[in-house]
Amino acid sequence: MTLIALNADVLVTMDAQRREIKGGALVADGPAVQWVGATADLPAQYRRMADEGRARVLDMRGKVVTPGLVNTHHHMYQSLTRAVPAAQDAELFSWLTNLYMLWSHLTPEMIHISTQTAMAELMLSGCTTTSDHLYLFPNGSRLDDSIVAAQQMGMRFHAARGSMSLGRSKGGLPPDVVVEEEEAILRDSLRLIQQYHDGSRHSMLRVVLAPCSPFSVTRELMRESAVLARAHGVSLHTHLAENDNDVAFSREKFGLTPAQYAEDLGWVGRDVWHAHCVKLDPEGIALFARTGTGVAHCPCSNMRLASGIAPIRSMRDAGVPVGLGVDGSASNDGAHMLGEARQAMLLQRVGYGPAAMSAREALEIATLGGARVLNRDDIGALAPGMSADFVAFDMEGVAHAGAGHDPVAALVFCTPAQVSSSVINGRVVVEDGRLLTADLPVVLGRHRDLARTLFERAAGH
Ligand SMILES: [Zn+2]
């Protein structure tokens, strides 16, 4: 059915002119946007459709409408292991070491329910497209478990088939019990691409190949994953240069900086994006800019683990594609996409001064930036022919009182709001702040039980 959104206080398009339309309206038919403009200019044919009840009308009075936000890095299974006491006050390597054994008890149902839960949290915070990086598959778990969850939730999904093959006995960080054989990883990667990957415009599901990190996979697996991905036109994703220890590991084991390591493996290009890059050096920034290699910036996680301040200002100035990632729920215990945009803005200012990032730039990184990082030109902006992914934030509550001077900037400056509505691929998935695609109390009840079960099983070992 045709969808007509009317009377938005401001409609932020992120189109080529970055238009912000007062009294904005938008028409969507099926998965695509048909028309964007001022409500007063709505073409007669759409007005007639609305009057005759042949279109669904969404009244956006009192709201700011933006393109759906794009999350480029997450580990959704970690929503079962938030605020774990043993991992509250650690940096990356010891944080991981304290959690790996707990995660080795994950089950297929835990992956499914934790993904639904994490997606609900993202959707309510303005996110319409997300990636998820799942890199351990204990007890029969498969990437299929999270793909099914995404289909149930109605989210646009880039499912990253993660992997770990370098266990502790071979000089890696993770215990041997959570790593896989490389041959099995590549076989399963191919199966997933053939079974699920949809490279078409408005695709709701793309598969990504994503060996986990320099300290948990071999160079051979990195190279072979790249060959496989490129043979099938799918993107590549991993963690890179997250903190000083990560850089030291790269220098010691490979004699290379993280950026040199990535280049050496063929892991640069528009079809590649790296999470964090907090410690990417100037040469690395130039390399990423030259090759169109993307960065998933995760400010909350970087602060939580005291990894540092990623040089996003320098990256953006050099032309590196930058998107935002909330990162896994065990290193960012609050996965709020609009909140992540706010933290990105604030953290750049801490590092590089008050002009280092404006509210509008943060919003642009959260939408268009993420789209570019995921190598898509059909999301991140609202214009005819783009995917019908848009969200509305109510500006009339206490959080935005007195911020009417600039409602668009207020979205980022004020307390991050939950969405009042969300539309993904032309389908209303949140209405009046209520998620329509899942019975949230039921999902959360099961999630609570499974989180408890996971800890009990881990304690039994
Ligand atoms: Zn991560």
Side-chain angles (χ1 to χ4, degrees), residues 73 75 133 239 242 275-276 327-328:
H73 188 63
H75 311 289
H133 187 189
H239 295 93
E242 182 163 347
H276 303 299
D327 202 1

Side-chain angles (χ1 to χ4, degrees), residues 13 21 26 55 85-86 106 111-112 115 118 139 149 180 218 247 258 265 269 271 287 295 358 366 384 416 421 436 461:
T13 64
I21 303 168
L26 179 152
L106 286 164
I111 302 288
H112 177 209
T115 304
N139 309 307
E180 297 173 272
T218 66
V247 176
L265 298 170
D271 57 349
L287 171 72
V295 169
S358 69
S421 358
L436 302 180
H461 276 250

Side-chain angles (χ1 to χ4, degrees), residues 130-284:
T130 188
S131 185
D132 184 46
H133 187 189
L134 181 60
Y135 53 83
L136 28 77
F137 300 91
N139 309 307
S141 304
R142 302 192 305 165
L143 192 66
D144 310 58
D145 303 321
S146 51
I147 288 174
V148 168
Q151 289 167 336
Q152 290 168 333
M153 299 301 286
M155 262 199 122
R156 204 178 293 284
F157 191 36
H158 286 228
R161 203 298 180 188
S163 52
M164 298 199 292
S165 63
L166 197 65
R168 207 162 290 157
S169 64
K170 292 181 183 162
L173 188 72
D176 290 359
V177 62
V178 291
V179 308
E180 297 173 272
E181 295 292 333
E182 299 198 346
E183 212 182 285
I185 291 166
L186 291 166
R187 206 170 40 240
D188 191 49
S189 299
L190 178 61
R191 174 188 72 82
L192 289 159
I193 293 169
Q194 290 174 334
Q195 192 170 340
Y196 294 112
H197 180 70
D198 173 6
S200 68
R201 194 168 178 82
H202 310 307
S203 165
M204 289 294 284
L205 178 58
R206 291 194 180 165
V207 172
V208 177
L209 300 191
C212 190
S213 61
F215 49 85
S216 62
V217 298
T218 66
R219 275 187 275 199
E220 290 67 40
L221 183 64
M222 292 293 282
R223 285 207 181 91
E224 285 176 35
S225 295
V227 170
L228 183 61
R230 286 180 173 133
H232 295 273
V234 309
S235 286
L236 290 162
H237 179 48
T238 192
H239 295 93
L240 198 78
E242 182 163 347
N243 72 2
D244 289 331
N245 289 339
D246 195 3
V247 176
F249 184 95
S250 207
R251 285 190 180 281
E252 273 163 37
K253 295 274 174 178
F254 314 124
L256 299 169
T257 65
Q260 289 167 341
Y261 171 78
E263 188 177 29
D264 182 57
L265 298 170
W267 272 69
V268 290
R270 288 167 51 101
D271 57 349
V272 183
W273 86 100
H274 297 278
H276 303 299
C277 298
V278 174
K279 300 290 176 179
L280 197 67
D281 58 6
E283 292 75 27

